[in-house]
mmCIF file with all atom_site columns, all heavy atoms in Angstrom:
data_model
loop_
_atom_site.group_PDB
_atom_site.id
_atom_site.type_symbol
_atom_site.label_atom_id
_atom_site.label_alt_id
_atom_site.label_comp_id
_atom_site.label_asym_id
_atom_site.label_entity_id
_atom_site.label_seq_id
_atom_site.pdbx_PDB_ins_code
_atom_site.Cartn_x
_atom_site.Cartn_y
_atom_site.Cartn_z
_atom_site.occupancy
_atom_site.B_iso_or_equiv
_atom_site.pdbx_formal_charge
_atom_site.auth_seq_id
_atom_site.auth_comp_id
_atom_site.auth_asym_id
_atom_site.auth_atom_id
_atom_site.pdbx_PDB_model_num
ATOM 1   N N   . PRO A 1 1  ? -4.768 -26.982 -3.719  1.00 0.00 ? 1  PRO A N   1
ATOM 2   C CA  . PRO A 1 1  ? -5.265 -26.019 -4.664  1.00 0.00 ? 1  PRO A CA  1
ATOM 3   C C   . PRO A 1 1  ? -4.199 -25.142 -5.265  1.00 0.00 ? 1  PRO A C   1
ATOM 4   O O   . PRO A 1 1  ? -3.149 -24.898 -4.631  1.00 0.00 ? 1  PRO A O   1
ATOM 5   C CB  . PRO A 1 1  ? -6.240 -25.171 -3.819  1.00 0.00 ? 1  PRO A CB  1
ATOM 6   C CG  . PRO A 1 1  ? -5.747 -25.365 -2.373  1.00 0.00 ? 1  PRO A CG  1
ATOM 7   C CD  . PRO A 1 1  ? -5.220 -26.745 -2.397  1.00 0.00 ? 1  PRO A CD  1
ATOM 8   N N   . CYS A 1 2  ? -4.410 -24.707 -6.487  1.00 0.00 ? 2  CYS A N   1
ATOM 9   C CA  . CYS A 1 2  ? -3.373 -23.864 -7.071  1.00 0.00 ? 2  CYS A CA  1
ATOM 10  C C   . CYS A 1 2  ? -3.270 -22.546 -6.408  1.00 0.00 ? 2  CYS A C   1
ATOM 11  O O   . CYS A 1 2  ? -4.294 -21.882 -6.027  1.00 0.00 ? 2  CYS A O   1
ATOM 12  C CB  . CYS A 1 2  ? -3.806 -23.650 -8.541  1.00 0.00 ? 2  CYS A CB  1
ATOM 13  S SG  . CYS A 1 2  ? -2.600 -22.503 -9.425  1.00 0.00 ? 2  CYS A SG  1
ATOM 14  N N   . VAL A 1 3  ? -2.058 -22.104 -6.054  1.00 0.00 ? 3  VAL A N   1
ATOM 15  C CA  . VAL A 1 3  ? -1.820 -20.839 -5.332  1.00 0.00 ? 3  VAL A CA  1
ATOM 16  C C   . VAL A 1 3  ? -1.053 -19.956 -6.224  1.00 0.00 ? 3  VAL A C   1
ATOM 17  O O   . VAL A 1 3  ? 0.013  -20.248 -6.755  1.00 0.00 ? 3  VAL A O   1
ATOM 18  C CB  . VAL A 1 3  ? -1.030 -21.088 -4.032  1.00 0.00 ? 3  VAL A CB  1
ATOM 19  C CG1 . VAL A 1 3  ? -0.801 -19.779 -3.345  1.00 0.00 ? 3  VAL A CG1 1
ATOM 20  C CG2 . VAL A 1 3  ? -1.743 -22.070 -3.114  1.00 0.00 ? 3  VAL A CG2 1
ATOM 21  N N   . ARG A 1 4  ? -1.614 -18.785 -6.436  1.00 0.00 ? 4  ARG A N   1
ATOM 22  C CA  . ARG A 1 4  ? -0.970 -17.803 -7.319  1.00 0.00 ? 4  ARG A CA  1
ATOM 23  C C   . ARG A 1 4  ? 0.029  -16.968 -6.435  1.00 0.00 ? 4  ARG A C   1
ATOM 24  O O   . ARG A 1 4  ? -0.295 -16.471 -5.363  1.00 0.00 ? 4  ARG A O   1
ATOM 25  C CB  . ARG A 1 4  ? -1.979 -16.831 -7.940  1.00 0.00 ? 4  ARG A CB  1
ATOM 26  C CG  . ARG A 1 4  ? -2.838 -17.498 -9.029  1.00 0.00 ? 4  ARG A CG  1
ATOM 27  C CD  . ARG A 1 4  ? -3.748 -16.460 -9.576  1.00 0.00 ? 4  ARG A CD  1
ATOM 28  N NE  . ARG A 1 4  ? -4.616 -17.041 -10.634 1.00 0.00 ? 4  ARG A NE  1
ATOM 29  C CZ  . ARG A 1 4  ? -4.299 -17.102 -11.895 1.00 0.00 ? 4  ARG A CZ  1
ATOM 30  N NH1 . ARG A 1 4  ? -3.093 -16.622 -12.250 1.00 0.00 ? 4  ARG A NH1 1
ATOM 31  N NH2 . ARG A 1 4  ? -5.103 -17.645 -12.771 1.00 0.00 ? 4  ARG A NH2 1
ATOM 32  N N   . ILE A 1 5  ? 1.220  -16.870 -6.881  1.00 0.00 ? 5  ILE A N   1
ATOM 33  C CA  . ILE A 1 5  ? 2.295  -16.103 -6.140  1.00 0.00 ? 5  ILE A CA  1
ATOM 34  C C   . ILE A 1 5  ? 2.486  -14.770 -6.915  1.00 0.00 ? 5  ILE A C   1
ATOM 35  O O   . ILE A 1 5  ? 2.879  -14.793 -8.137  1.00 0.00 ? 5  ILE A O   1
ATOM 36  C CB  . ILE A 1 5  ? 3.531  -16.913 -6.042  1.00 0.00 ? 5  ILE A CB  1
ATOM 37  C CG1 . ILE A 1 5  ? 3.274  -18.232 -5.282  1.00 0.00 ? 5  ILE A CG1 1
ATOM 38  C CG2 . ILE A 1 5  ? 4.647  -16.090 -5.334  1.00 0.00 ? 5  ILE A CG2 1
ATOM 39  C CD1 . ILE A 1 5  ? 4.522  -19.087 -5.125  1.00 0.00 ? 5  ILE A CD1 1
ATOM 40  N N   . ALA A 1 6  ? 2.193  -13.699 -6.235  1.00 0.00 ? 6  ALA A N   1
ATOM 41  C CA  . ALA A 1 6  ? 2.366  -12.396 -6.944  1.00 0.00 ? 6  ALA A CA  1
ATOM 42  C C   . ALA A 1 6  ? 3.903  -12.125 -7.143  1.00 0.00 ? 6  ALA A C   1
ATOM 43  O O   . ALA A 1 6  ? 4.651  -12.269 -6.128  1.00 0.00 ? 6  ALA A O   1
ATOM 44  C CB  . ALA A 1 6  ? 1.670  -11.334 -6.076  1.00 0.00 ? 6  ALA A CB  1
ATOM 45  N N   . VAL A 1 7  ? 4.228  -11.673 -8.245  1.00 0.00 ? 7  VAL A N   1
ATOM 46  C CA  . VAL A 1 7  ? 5.638  -11.338 -8.539  1.00 0.00 ? 7  VAL A CA  1
ATOM 47  C C   . VAL A 1 7  ? 5.825  -9.809  -8.331  1.00 0.00 ? 7  VAL A C   1
ATOM 48  O O   . VAL A 1 7  ? 5.047  -9.052  -8.892  1.00 0.00 ? 7  VAL A O   1
ATOM 49  C CB  . VAL A 1 7  ? 5.945  -11.696 -9.971  1.00 0.00 ? 7  VAL A CB  1
ATOM 50  C CG1 . VAL A 1 7  ? 7.418  -11.318 -10.302 1.00 0.00 ? 7  VAL A CG1 1
ATOM 51  C CG2 . VAL A 1 7  ? 5.785  -13.188 -10.199 1.00 0.00 ? 7  VAL A CG2 1
ATOM 52  N N   . MET A 1 8  ? 6.674  -9.512  -7.411  1.00 0.00 ? 8  MET A N   1
ATOM 53  C CA  . MET A 1 8  ? 6.875  -8.101  -7.106  1.00 0.00 ? 8  MET A CA  1
ATOM 54  C C   . MET A 1 8  ? 7.538  -7.408  -8.249  1.00 0.00 ? 8  MET A C   1
ATOM 55  O O   . MET A 1 8  ? 8.402  -7.912  -8.857  1.00 0.00 ? 8  MET A O   1
ATOM 56  C CB  . MET A 1 8  ? 7.751  -7.974  -5.822  1.00 0.00 ? 8  MET A CB  1
ATOM 57  C CG  . MET A 1 8  ? 7.120  -8.572  -4.591  1.00 0.00 ? 8  MET A CG  1
ATOM 58  S SD  . MET A 1 8  ? 5.686  -7.630  -4.052  1.00 0.00 ? 8  MET A SD  1
ATOM 59  C CE  . MET A 1 8  ? 6.499  -6.151  -3.446  1.00 0.00 ? 8  MET A CE  1
ATOM 60  N N   . ASP A 1 9  ? 7.047  -6.142  -8.512  1.00 0.00 ? 9  ASP A N   1
ATOM 61  C CA  . ASP A 1 9  ? 7.774  -5.360  -9.471  1.00 0.00 ? 9  ASP A CA  1
ATOM 62  C C   . ASP A 1 9  ? 9.117  -4.933  -8.936  1.00 0.00 ? 9  ASP A C   1
ATOM 63  O O   . ASP A 1 9  ? 9.361  -4.978  -7.688  1.00 0.00 ? 9  ASP A O   1
ATOM 64  C CB  . ASP A 1 9  ? 6.985  -4.060  -9.755  1.00 0.00 ? 9  ASP A CB  1
ATOM 65  C CG  . ASP A 1 9  ? 5.719  -4.321  -10.542 1.00 0.00 ? 9  ASP A CG  1
ATOM 66  O OD1 . ASP A 1 9  ? 5.636  -5.337  -11.258 1.00 0.00 ? 9  ASP A OD1 1
ATOM 67  O OD2 . ASP A 1 9  ? 4.759  -3.530  -10.415 1.00 0.00 ? 9  ASP A OD2 1
ATOM 68  N N   . LYS A 1 10 ? 10.034 -4.575  -9.758  1.00 0.00 ? 10 LYS A N   1
ATOM 69  C CA  . LYS A 1 10 ? 11.371 -4.283  -9.293  1.00 0.00 ? 10 LYS A CA  1
ATOM 70  C C   . LYS A 1 10 ? 11.871 -3.092  -10.054 1.00 0.00 ? 10 LYS A C   1
ATOM 71  O O   . LYS A 1 10 ? 11.427 -2.714  -11.156 1.00 0.00 ? 10 LYS A O   1
ATOM 72  C CB  . LYS A 1 10 ? 12.336 -5.421  -9.491  1.00 0.00 ? 10 LYS A CB  1
ATOM 73  C CG  . LYS A 1 10 ? 12.502 -5.895  -10.909 1.00 0.00 ? 10 LYS A CG  1
ATOM 74  C CD  . LYS A 1 10 ? 13.434 -7.084  -10.985 1.00 0.00 ? 10 LYS A CD  1
ATOM 75  C CE  . LYS A 1 10 ? 13.582 -7.645  -12.469 1.00 0.00 ? 10 LYS A CE  1
ATOM 76  N NZ  . LYS A 1 10 ? 14.424 -8.760  -12.511 1.00 0.00 ? 10 LYS A NZ  1
ATOM 77  N N   . LEU A 1 11 ? 12.811 -2.403  -9.415  1.00 0.00 ? 11 LEU A N   1
ATOM 78  C CA  . LEU A 1 11 ? 13.458 -1.238  -10.036 1.00 0.00 ? 11 LEU A CA  1
ATOM 79  C C   . LEU A 1 11 ? 14.841 -1.642  -10.490 1.00 0.00 ? 11 LEU A C   1
ATOM 80  O O   . LEU A 1 11 ? 15.578 -2.230  -9.737  1.00 0.00 ? 11 LEU A O   1
ATOM 81  C CB  . LEU A 1 11 ? 13.608 -0.087  -9.017  1.00 0.00 ? 11 LEU A CB  1
ATOM 82  C CG  . LEU A 1 11 ? 12.309 0.507   -8.475  1.00 0.00 ? 11 LEU A CG  1
ATOM 83  C CD1 . LEU A 1 11 ? 12.650 1.596   -7.349  1.00 0.00 ? 11 LEU A CD1 1
ATOM 84  C CD2 . LEU A 1 11 ? 11.554 1.246   -9.599  1.00 0.00 ? 11 LEU A CD2 1
ATOM 85  N N   . VAL A 1 12 ? 15.140 -1.442  -11.762 1.00 0.00 ? 12 VAL A N   1
ATOM 86  C CA  . VAL A 1 12 ? 16.428 -1.751  -12.305 1.00 0.00 ? 12 VAL A CA  1
ATOM 87  C C   . VAL A 1 12 ? 17.092 -0.409  -12.588 1.00 0.00 ? 12 VAL A C   1
ATOM 88  O O   . VAL A 1 12 ? 16.637 0.335   -13.417 1.00 0.00 ? 12 VAL A O   1
ATOM 89  C CB  . VAL A 1 12 ? 16.300 -2.592  -13.623 1.00 0.00 ? 12 VAL A CB  1
ATOM 90  C CG1 . VAL A 1 12 ? 17.691 -2.868  -14.193 1.00 0.00 ? 12 VAL A CG1 1
ATOM 91  C CG2 . VAL A 1 12 ? 15.560 -3.847  -13.308 1.00 0.00 ? 12 VAL A CG2 1
ATOM 92  N N   . ILE A 1 13 ? 18.220 -0.205  -11.935 1.00 0.00 ? 13 ILE A N   1
ATOM 93  C CA  . ILE A 1 13 ? 19.000 1.091   -12.070 1.00 0.00 ? 13 ILE A CA  1
ATOM 94  C C   . ILE A 1 13 ? 20.351 0.738   -12.820 1.00 0.00 ? 13 ILE A C   1
ATOM 95  O O   . ILE A 1 13 ? 21.124 -0.032  -12.277 1.00 0.00 ? 13 ILE A O   1
ATOM 96  C CB  . ILE A 1 13 ? 19.222 1.729   -10.731 1.00 0.00 ? 13 ILE A CB  1
ATOM 97  C CG1 . ILE A 1 13 ? 17.837 1.990   -10.080 1.00 0.00 ? 13 ILE A CG1 1
ATOM 98  C CG2 . ILE A 1 13 ? 19.989 3.061   -10.896 1.00 0.00 ? 13 ILE A CG2 1
ATOM 99  C CD1 . ILE A 1 13 ? 17.936 2.563   -8.731  1.00 0.00 ? 13 ILE A CD1 1
ATOM 100 N N   . ARG A 1 14 ? 20.534 1.305   -13.879 1.00 0.00 ? 14 ARG A N   1
ATOM 101 C CA  . ARG A 1 14 ? 21.812 1.233   -14.639 1.00 0.00 ? 14 ARG A CA  1
ATOM 102 C C   . ARG A 1 14 ? 22.557 2.484   -14.434 1.00 0.00 ? 14 ARG A C   1
ATOM 103 O O   . ARG A 1 14 ? 22.177 3.506   -14.986 1.00 0.00 ? 14 ARG A O   1
ATOM 104 C CB  . ARG A 1 14 ? 21.523 0.906   -16.122 1.00 0.00 ? 14 ARG A CB  1
ATOM 105 C CG  . ARG A 1 14 ? 20.818 -0.424  -16.317 1.00 0.00 ? 14 ARG A CG  1
ATOM 106 C CD  . ARG A 1 14 ? 20.623 -0.721  -17.803 1.00 0.00 ? 14 ARG A CD  1
ATOM 107 N NE  . ARG A 1 14 ? 20.030 -2.059  -18.052 1.00 0.00 ? 14 ARG A NE  1
ATOM 108 C CZ  . ARG A 1 14 ? 18.772 -2.360  -18.029 1.00 0.00 ? 14 ARG A CZ  1
ATOM 109 N NH1 . ARG A 1 14 ? 17.960 -1.392  -17.840 1.00 0.00 ? 14 ARG A NH1 1
ATOM 110 N NH2 . ARG A 1 14 ? 18.318 -3.573  -18.191 1.00 0.00 ? 14 ARG A NH2 1
ATOM 111 N N   . GLY A 1 15 ? 23.618 2.422   -13.681 1.00 0.00 ? 15 GLY A N   1
ATOM 112 C CA  . GLY A 1 15 ? 24.431 3.593   -13.432 1.00 0.00 ? 15 GLY A CA  1
ATOM 113 C C   . GLY A 1 15 ? 25.466 3.852   -14.441 1.00 0.00 ? 15 GLY A C   1
ATOM 114 O O   . GLY A 1 15 ? 25.368 3.494   -15.641 1.00 0.00 ? 15 GLY A O   1
ATOM 115 N N   . GLY A 1 16 ? 26.562 4.476   -13.944 1.00 0.00 ? 16 GLY A N   1
ATOM 116 C CA  . GLY A 1 16 ? 27.688 4.747   -14.861 1.00 0.00 ? 16 GLY A CA  1
ATOM 117 C C   . GLY A 1 16 ? 27.636 6.174   -15.474 1.00 0.00 ? 16 GLY A C   1
ATOM 118 O O   . GLY A 1 16 ? 28.504 6.589   -16.204 1.00 0.00 ? 16 GLY A O   1
ATOM 119 N N   . LYS A 1 17 ? 26.609 6.950   -15.128 1.00 0.00 ? 17 LYS A N   1
ATOM 120 C CA  . LYS A 1 17 ? 26.543 8.320   -15.649 1.00 0.00 ? 17 LYS A CA  1
ATOM 121 C C   . LYS A 1 17 ? 26.323 9.257   -14.468 1.00 0.00 ? 17 LYS A C   1
ATOM 122 O O   . LYS A 1 17 ? 25.649 8.907   -13.501 1.00 0.00 ? 17 LYS A O   1
ATOM 123 C CB  . LYS A 1 17 ? 25.306 8.418   -16.595 1.00 0.00 ? 17 LYS A CB  1
ATOM 124 C CG  . LYS A 1 17 ? 25.482 7.584   -17.861 1.00 0.00 ? 17 LYS A CG  1
ATOM 125 C CD  . LYS A 1 17 ? 24.236 7.779   -18.736 1.00 0.00 ? 17 LYS A CD  1
ATOM 126 C CE  . LYS A 1 17 ? 24.367 6.927   -19.998 1.00 0.00 ? 17 LYS A CE  1
ATOM 127 N NZ  . LYS A 1 17 ? 23.190 7.101   -20.975 1.00 0.00 ? 17 LYS A NZ  1
ATOM 128 N N   . PRO A 1 18 ? 26.918 10.449  -14.495 1.00 0.00 ? 18 PRO A N   1
ATOM 129 C CA  . PRO A 1 18 ? 26.702 11.428  -13.459 1.00 0.00 ? 18 PRO A CA  1
ATOM 130 C C   . PRO A 1 18 ? 25.284 11.918  -13.427 1.00 0.00 ? 18 PRO A C   1
ATOM 131 O O   . PRO A 1 18 ? 24.669 12.087  -14.447 1.00 0.00 ? 18 PRO A O   1
ATOM 132 C CB  . PRO A 1 18 ? 27.645 12.549  -13.812 1.00 0.00 ? 18 PRO A CB  1
ATOM 133 C CG  . PRO A 1 18 ? 27.899 12.427  -15.292 1.00 0.00 ? 18 PRO A CG  1
ATOM 134 C CD  . PRO A 1 18 ? 27.787 10.931  -15.585 1.00 0.00 ? 18 PRO A CD  1
ATOM 135 N N   . LEU A 1 19 ? 24.769 12.136  -12.246 1.00 0.00 ? 19 LEU A N   1
ATOM 136 C CA  . LEU A 1 19 ? 23.404 12.555  -12.040 1.00 0.00 ? 19 LEU A CA  1
ATOM 137 C C   . LEU A 1 19 ? 23.428 14.098  -12.096 1.00 0.00 ? 19 LEU A C   1
ATOM 138 O O   . LEU A 1 19 ? 24.267 14.784  -11.654 1.00 0.00 ? 19 LEU A O   1
ATOM 139 C CB  . LEU A 1 19 ? 22.806 12.054  -10.729 1.00 0.00 ? 19 LEU A CB  1
ATOM 140 C CG  . LEU A 1 19 ? 22.746 10.619  -10.523 1.00 0.00 ? 19 LEU A CG  1
ATOM 141 C CD1 . LEU A 1 19 ? 22.230 10.295  -9.123  1.00 0.00 ? 19 LEU A CD1 1
ATOM 142 C CD2 . LEU A 1 19 ? 21.977 9.954   -11.541 1.00 0.00 ? 19 LEU A CD2 1
ATOM 143 N N   . LYS A 1 20 ? 22.349 14.635  -12.657 1.00 0.00 ? 20 LYS A N   1
ATOM 144 C CA  . LYS A 1 20 ? 22.173 16.085  -12.725 1.00 0.00 ? 20 LYS A CA  1
ATOM 145 C C   . LYS A 1 20 ? 20.647 16.375  -12.865 1.00 0.00 ? 20 LYS A C   1
ATOM 146 O O   . LYS A 1 20 ? 19.850 15.622  -13.235 1.00 0.00 ? 20 LYS A O   1
ATOM 147 C CB  . LYS A 1 20 ? 22.917 16.691  -13.917 1.00 0.00 ? 20 LYS A CB  1
ATOM 148 C CG  . LYS A 1 20 ? 22.457 16.220  -15.313 1.00 0.00 ? 20 LYS A CG  1
ATOM 149 C CD  . LYS A 1 20 ? 23.296 16.876  -16.332 1.00 0.00 ? 20 LYS A CD  1
ATOM 150 C CE  . LYS A 1 20 ? 22.850 16.386  -17.722 1.00 0.00 ? 20 LYS A CE  1
ATOM 151 N NZ  . LYS A 1 20 ? 23.561 17.026  -18.851 1.00 0.00 ? 20 LYS A NZ  1
ATOM 152 N N   . GLY A 1 21 ? 20.295 17.639  -12.492 1.00 0.00 ? 21 GLY A N   1
ATOM 153 C CA  . GLY A 1 21 ? 18.874 18.099  -12.502 1.00 0.00 ? 21 GLY A CA  1
ATOM 154 C C   . GLY A 1 21 ? 18.452 18.507  -11.186 1.00 0.00 ? 21 GLY A C   1
ATOM 155 O O   . GLY A 1 21 ? 19.178 18.623  -10.243 1.00 0.00 ? 21 GLY A O   1
ATOM 156 N N   . GLU A 1 22 ? 17.159 18.835  -11.119 1.00 0.00 ? 22 GLU A N   1
ATOM 157 C CA  . GLU A 1 22 ? 16.551 19.344  -9.821  1.00 0.00 ? 22 GLU A CA  1
ATOM 158 C C   . GLU A 1 22 ? 15.336 18.474  -9.514  1.00 0.00 ? 22 GLU A C   1
ATOM 159 O O   . GLU A 1 22 ? 14.560 18.052  -10.408 1.00 0.00 ? 22 GLU A O   1
ATOM 160 C CB  . GLU A 1 22 ? 16.135 20.759  -10.013 1.00 0.00 ? 22 GLU A CB  1
ATOM 161 C CG  . GLU A 1 22 ? 17.269 21.705  -10.277 1.00 0.00 ? 22 GLU A CG  1
ATOM 162 C CD  . GLU A 1 22 ? 16.802 23.188  -10.445 1.00 0.00 ? 22 GLU A CD  1
ATOM 163 O OE1 . GLU A 1 22 ? 15.545 23.348  -10.381 1.00 0.00 ? 22 GLU A OE1 1
ATOM 164 O OE2 . GLU A 1 22 ? 17.682 23.994  -10.580 1.00 0.00 ? 22 GLU A OE2 1
ATOM 165 N N   . VAL A 1 23 ? 15.131 18.215  -8.210  1.00 0.00 ? 23 VAL A N   1
ATOM 166 C CA  . VAL A 1 23 ? 14.010 17.489  -7.691  1.00 0.00 ? 23 VAL A CA  1
ATOM 167 C C   . VAL A 1 23 ? 13.429 18.302  -6.613  1.00 0.00 ? 23 VAL A C   1
ATOM 168 O O   . VAL A 1 23 ? 14.150 18.731  -5.644  1.00 0.00 ? 23 VAL A O   1
ATOM 169 C CB  . VAL A 1 23 ? 14.483 16.105  -7.221  1.00 0.00 ? 23 VAL A CB  1
ATOM 170 C CG1 . VAL A 1 23 ? 13.209 15.409  -6.568  1.00 0.00 ? 23 VAL A CG1 1
ATOM 171 C CG2 . VAL A 1 23 ? 15.043 15.261  -8.270  1.00 0.00 ? 23 VAL A CG2 1
ATOM 172 N N   . HIS A 1 24 ? 12.090 18.530  -6.627  1.00 0.00 ? 24 HIS A N   1
ATOM 173 C CA  . HIS A 1 24 ? 11.432 19.201  -5.490  1.00 0.00 ? 24 HIS A CA  1
ATOM 174 C C   . HIS A 1 24 ? 11.140 18.224  -4.453  1.00 0.00 ? 24 HIS A C   1
ATOM 175 O O   . HIS A 1 24 ? 10.445 17.200  -4.686  1.00 0.00 ? 24 HIS A O   1
ATOM 176 C CB  . HIS A 1 24 ? 10.137 19.840  -5.995  1.00 0.00 ? 24 HIS A CB  1
ATOM 177 C CG  . HIS A 1 24 ? 9.343  20.459  -4.918  1.00 0.00 ? 24 HIS A CG  1
ATOM 178 N ND1 . HIS A 1 24 ? 9.716  21.640  -4.235  1.00 0.00 ? 24 HIS A ND1 1
ATOM 179 C CD2 . HIS A 1 24 ? 8.252  20.099  -4.277  1.00 0.00 ? 24 HIS A CD2 1
ATOM 180 C CE1 . HIS A 1 24 ? 8.882  21.970  -3.271  1.00 0.00 ? 24 HIS A CE1 1
ATOM 181 N NE2 . HIS A 1 24 ? 7.886  21.064  -3.302  1.00 0.00 ? 24 HIS A NE2 1
ATOM 182 N N   . ILE A 1 25 ? 11.554 18.507  -3.247  1.00 0.00 ? 25 ILE A N   1
ATOM 183 C CA  . ILE A 1 25 ? 11.335 17.571  -2.091  1.00 0.00 ? 25 ILE A CA  1
ATOM 184 C C   . ILE A 1 25 ? 10.180 18.152  -1.301  1.00 0.00 ? 25 ILE A C   1
ATOM 185 O O   . ILE A 1 25 ? 10.206 19.239  -0.746  1.00 0.00 ? 25 ILE A O   1
ATOM 186 C CB  . ILE A 1 25 ? 12.611 17.507  -1.193  1.00 0.00 ? 25 ILE A CB  1
ATOM 187 C CG1 . ILE A 1 25 ? 13.790 17.047  -1.954  1.00 0.00 ? 25 ILE A CG1 1
ATOM 188 C CG2 . ILE A 1 25 ? 12.278 16.507  -0.092  1.00 0.00 ? 25 ILE A CG2 1
ATOM 189 C CD1 . ILE A 1 25 ? 13.666 15.734  -2.658  1.00 0.00 ? 25 ILE A CD1 1
ATOM 190 N N   . SER A 1 26 ? 9.101  17.349  -1.236  1.00 0.00 ? 26 SER A N   1
ATOM 191 C CA  . SER A 1 26 ? 7.877  17.829  -0.486  1.00 0.00 ? 26 SER A CA  1
ATOM 192 C C   . SER A 1 26 ? 8.097  17.701  1.013   1.00 0.00 ? 26 SER A C   1
ATOM 193 O O   . SER A 1 26 ? 8.951  16.894  1.435   1.00 0.00 ? 26 SER A O   1
ATOM 194 C CB  . SER A 1 26 ? 6.718  17.052  -1.000  1.00 0.00 ? 26 SER A CB  1
ATOM 195 O OG  . SER A 1 26 ? 6.232  16.083  -0.010  1.00 0.00 ? 26 SER A OG  1
#
């Protein structure tokens, strides 16, 4: 029988820039 294989979503991070800003940590 045909089996569907779920494709996982992925995070693509393109760096090369300094990070800045604020994040509230719960």
Side-chain angles (χ1 to χ4, degrees):
C2 177
V3 177
R4 291 182 179 271
I5 300 177
V7 179
M8 297 291 291
D9 290 335
K10 60 183 178 182
L11 295 175
V12 179
I13 301 174
R14 295 183 176 87
K17 297 182 179 180
L19 301 178
K20 62 181 180 178
E22 297 181 357
V23 177
H24 175 72
I25 305 300
S26 105

